[in-house]
Amino acid sequence: MRKFVVAGGTSGMGRGLALHYLGQGDQVTIVGSDPERGRQVLDEAGRLGARDRAAFIQADLTSVAENRRVIEAVKATHDSLDGLVNTALRHFAQRVETPDGFEGTFALYYVSRFLLGHGLTELLEKGENPVIVNICGVGMTKGRVHWDDLSLKREFGSMTAMLQGGRATDLLGVAYADVHRGGRTRYVLHHPGFTDSGTGSLRQPAKTIVKALAKVFAQPVGKSIQPIIELMDDPSGQGLLAYDRRTPVDPGLPTLDLGDARRLYELTSHLL
């Protein structure tokens, strides 16, 4: 029986992946901020006959302390892990600064994934075929890391923040593979394409617009998670693997620059 942690596992692709692996007979710890959604996914696990293999940790993953609490909770109940899946993401229409001083999108899209990945590496290295999966926008080249204004105090825009988070997550994968050279844990950056994952974090009129677009253009969750499942279950490959759906992403893209990855790691390594 494999053991997985899915951050953002109460909705969208995270929920789809959590339920898939529960249905396969695996053990899944689901992390999310909404207790009602947590109850709902546990109820669904029960209908699959997997309630005893499902756990829910309520946590606000924009908080450094909450991420550390999740890591300690997982360590207390696991002697190994086979996978960590990071899907948690939220749209902030207005700038939100966390108690740790980070802009909200950066905190959730980058800092949380940074902490969980490095913090759970010890358990992952004991897994049979360990993998970290970040659902992100790898392969896109729009947006940039605002090195002199990571918290976007001067240049905030919801799209600016989202693109910076995406580019930071790209670099996170590169840095993780660099820091853990020789490790067994594969690091997968995966761009699933436009997926109908819900609009719970959006405000009007964006919610109505995205819903309308999703009806016409978006893939259903079940289809979007299939390439991810294939990558997670495939024991081949090592280090960093980057895919846009089923197509490998050029590792030479400037958004995957090793120098920039090391720079961002050094700026945030004190959190570890």
Side-chain angles (χ1 to χ4, degrees):
M1 179 175 64
R2 295 172 297 179
K3 303 172 185 177
F4 297 99
V5 173
V6 182
T10 62
S11 63
M13 283 180 287
R15 182 177 183 275
L17 287 164
L19 293 174
H20 166 80
Y21 283 108
L22 287 168
Q24 294 294 305
D26 299 313
Q27 179 181 338
V28 181
T29 298
I30 298 153
V31 185
S33 61
D34 188 329
E36 176 59 23
R37 286 185 176 180
R39 183 191 64 77
Q40 290 172 1
V41 76
L42 291 178
D43 287 347
E44 183 64 25
R47 288 189 283 273
L48 293 171
R51 181 61 186 84
D52 61 330
R53 291 183 279 105
F56 174 66
I57 300 175
Q58 181 185 357
D60 176 5
L61 293 177
T62 65
S63 161
V64 169
E66 287 282 271
N67 280 279
R68 289 177 174 154
R69 179 174 64 82
V70 169
I71 292 167
E72 292 308 311
V74 173
K75 286 182 174 180
T77 54
H78 292 69
D79 54 10
S80 66
L81 275 179
D82 295 282
L84 165 66
V85 182
N86 293 308
T87 69
L89 190 57
R90 189 184 315 156
H91 176 264
F92 293 90
Q94 305 295 327
R95 184 179 180 277
V96 172
E97 185 168 313
T98 71
D100 306 295
F102 297 112
E103 184 273 322
T105 309
F106 188 81
L108 190 56
Y109 207 166
Y110 172 76
V111 176
S112 172
R113 300 177 185 211
F114 173 87
L115 290 168
L116 293 176
H118 288 285
L120 293 174
T121 292
E122 182 180 356
L123 293 181
L124 286 160
E125 286 294 304
K126 298 175 182 177
E128 182 178 343
N129 180 31
V131 61
I132 298 173
V133 177
N134 265 356
I135 307 302
C136 57
V138 67
M140 295 179 58
T141 56
K142 291 183 179 179
R144 64 183 179 89
V145 175
H146 297 251
W147 297 105
D148 61 343
D149 187 24
L150 287 177
S151 288
L152 300 179
K153 292 182 178 180
R154 298 190 302 273
E155 300 182 64
F156 179 82
S158 59
M159 185 56 68
T160 299
M162 192 67 73
L163 290 172
Q164 172 175 253
R167 302 295 71 77
T169 298
D170 293 348
L171 296 176
L172 169 58
V174 176
Y176 183 94
D178 181 52
V179 170
H180 296 284
R181 277 174 290 176
R184 298 175 55 248
T185 303
R186 295 167 297 140
Y187 203 105
V188 177
L189 297 172
H190 191 272
H191 181 201
F194 186 16
T195 300
D196 189 2
S197 297
T199 57
S201 66
L202 296 176
R203 296 182 180 181
Q204 297 294 3
K207 179 177 289 191
T208 298
I209 294 170
V210 171
K211 277 186 175 181
L213 290 172
K215 287 182 180 179
V216 179
F217 299 109
Q219 297 183 105
V221 166
K223 184 175 181 180
S224 289
I225 65 174
Q226 284 308 309
I228 302 167
I229 293 167
E230 292 168 12
L231 286 166
M232 291 179 68
D233 292 349
D234 182 359
S236 63
Q238 60 182 358
L240 177 66
L241 305 171
Y243 280 81
D244 183 345
R245 283 146 281 198
R246 286 184 170 87
T247 303
V249 171
D250 178 5
L253 285 177
T255 50
L256 298 173
D257 180 74
L258 178 59
D260 286 344
R262 287 173 172 170
R263 180 181 182 185
L264 186 59
Y265 177 82
E266 289 301 321
L267 285 173
T268 49
S269 59
H270 66 281
L271 296 171
L272 301 175

